[in-house]
C-alpha cells in the first residue's frame, strides 16, 4: 500500500487496500473524474478504504480543496468498474482516478465549490507531468460507463477546466430547435453515422443503426460533458456539430475535405 505521496499537492495519505497491479504492463493514459455521491468527505474515504466495498481511487478532493491520496499512481485502483474507451475495456489499468467529494444528483446536485475546482485543476496538471495523458484522455466516469454512471455530471465545469489547460473541449454549438433529431427507437443511416462518430471519438458504442437504450445513454453522457445546456438523450444538430468540432480539434487531425 502507498507510503509516500506521488504529488506534493497531497495533504494527507489514507491508504486503500482495494488495489492490484496494472495488467499487461499498461500505463495511465486516461484520467477519470468522478464525484463520490456521498454526503461527507469522511464517509467517502471510509468507503474507498473498506475492503468489503471493493472500490478505491488514487485521489480524493475535498470541498475545501484538500487532496487526499489513497492509491499510488503506479497501482491499479478500482474506480472505473465495467467501462470502455477507445477500444479498451480495462479502464482501471490505463487510468488514474480522482474522486471529487460531492453528494451527487440524488442529493440536490449542488455546484462544485471554486476551491475544489482549483484543486482538481492543479492535481490534473500535476498528474500530467508524470504520465502521457493527452487532453482528450481526461474524461468523466459517465464517458466510460454511460449506462451506469452520471458523474461528475452536467454541472461540472469542463469549460473552465479546459480554459485552464485541462481536458479537450470546444465551445458547443448553441442548442436550437431546428434540424434533424434522433431519439430513442429511431433507426437508419443517420443513427449509424452518429454511432460511428461517437465511437471515433472514443465512446464505447456499437454501430447498430438503431438508437437503442445503450446508445441513448452514450448520447446523454456526451451531452453532460460537451453540450450541458440540454441533457435529454436526443441527438440534435447542436450535438452533431459539437462532436464534429471536437474531432476536428484533436491533435493530429487532418482535414481531408
Ligand atoms: Zn464514478
Amino acid at each position: 500500500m502507498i507510503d509516500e505521496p506521488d504529488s506534493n499537492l497531497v495533504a494527507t495519505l489514507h491508504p486503500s487496500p482495494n488495489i492490484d497491479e496494472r495488467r499487461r504492463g499498461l500505463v495511465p493514459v486516461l484520467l477519470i473524474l468522478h464525484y463520490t455521491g456521498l454526503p461527507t468527505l469522511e464517509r467517502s474515504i471510509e468507503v474507498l478504504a473498506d475492503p468489503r466495498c471493493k472500490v478505491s481511487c488514487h485521489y480524493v478532493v475535498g470541498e475545501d480543496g484538500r487532496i487526499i491520496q489513497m492509491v499510488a499512481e503506479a497501482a491499479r485502483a478500482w474506480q472505473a468498474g465495467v467501462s470502455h474507451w477507445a477500444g479498451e475495456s480495462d479502464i482501471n489499468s490505463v487510468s488514474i482516478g480522482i474522486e471529487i467529494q460531492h453528494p451527487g444528483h440524488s442529493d440536490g446536485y449542488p455546484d462544485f465549490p471554486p476551491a475544489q475546482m482549483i484543486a482538481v485543476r492543479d492535481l490534473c496538471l500535476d498528474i500530467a507531468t508524470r504520465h502521457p495523458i493527452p487532453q482528450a484522455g481526461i474524461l468523466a466516469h459517465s464517458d466510460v460507463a454511460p449506462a451506469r454512471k452520471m458523474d461528475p455530471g452536467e454541472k461540472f465545469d469542463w469549460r473552465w477546466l479546459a480554459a485552464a489547460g485541462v481536458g479537450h473541449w470546444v465551445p458547443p454549438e448553441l442548442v436550437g430547435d431546428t434540424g434533424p433529431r434522433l431519439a430513442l427507437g429511431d433507426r437508419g443511416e443517420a443513427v449509424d453515422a452518429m454511432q460511428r462518430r461517437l465511437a471515433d471519438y472514443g465512446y464505447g458504442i456499437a454501430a447498430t443503426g438503431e438508437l437503442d437504450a445503450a446508445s441513448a445513454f452514450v448520447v446523454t453522457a456526451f451531452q453532460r460533458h460537451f453540450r450541458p445546456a440540454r441533457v435529454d438523450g436526443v441527438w440534435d444538430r447542436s450535438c452533431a456539430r459539437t462532436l464534429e468540432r471536437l474531432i476536428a480539434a484533436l491533435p493530429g487531425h487532418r482535414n481531408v475535405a
Side-chain angles (χ1 to χ4, degrees), residues 97-227:
I98 299 175
E99 285 279 1
I100 299 163
Q101 174 54 37
H102 185 283
H105 284 80
S106 61
D107 194 5
Y109 200 46
D111 290 337
F112 293 85
Q116 188 176 43
M117 291 300 296
I118 288 167
V120 169
R121 174 199 67 191
D122 292 349
L123 181 58
C124 290
L125 289 169
D126 182 72
I127 292 168
T129 65
R130 288 184 292 280
H131 304 280
I133 296 172
Q135 297 288 14
I138 302 176
L139 298 167
H141 196 192
S142 53
D143 289 320
V144 299
R148 300 186 301 114
K149 297 292 177 181
M150 51 172 74
D151 60 315
E154 60 281 2
K155 275 192 180 179
F156 187 75
D157 201 344
W158 292 102
R159 174 197 294 257
W160 178 85
L161 267 188
V166 175
H168 183 63
W169 199 84
V170 296
E173 176 83 11
L174 290 179
V175 177
D177 288 311
T178 57
R181 291 159 58 83
L182 301 172
L184 191 63
D186 283 349
R187 292 164 189 269
E189 272 177 36
V191 174
D192 187 83
M194 172 203 84
Q195 291 166 327
R196 287 178 194 281
R197 290 309 263 167
L198 284 164
D200 286 345
Y201 193 68
Y203 284 95
I205 185 170
T208 61
E210 182 190 349
L211 210 162
D212 53 9
S215 290
F217 282 126
V218 172
V219 170
T220 303
F222 175 84
Q223 292 172 336
R224 286 190 206 285
H225 190 155
F226 298 109
R227 208 288 305 270

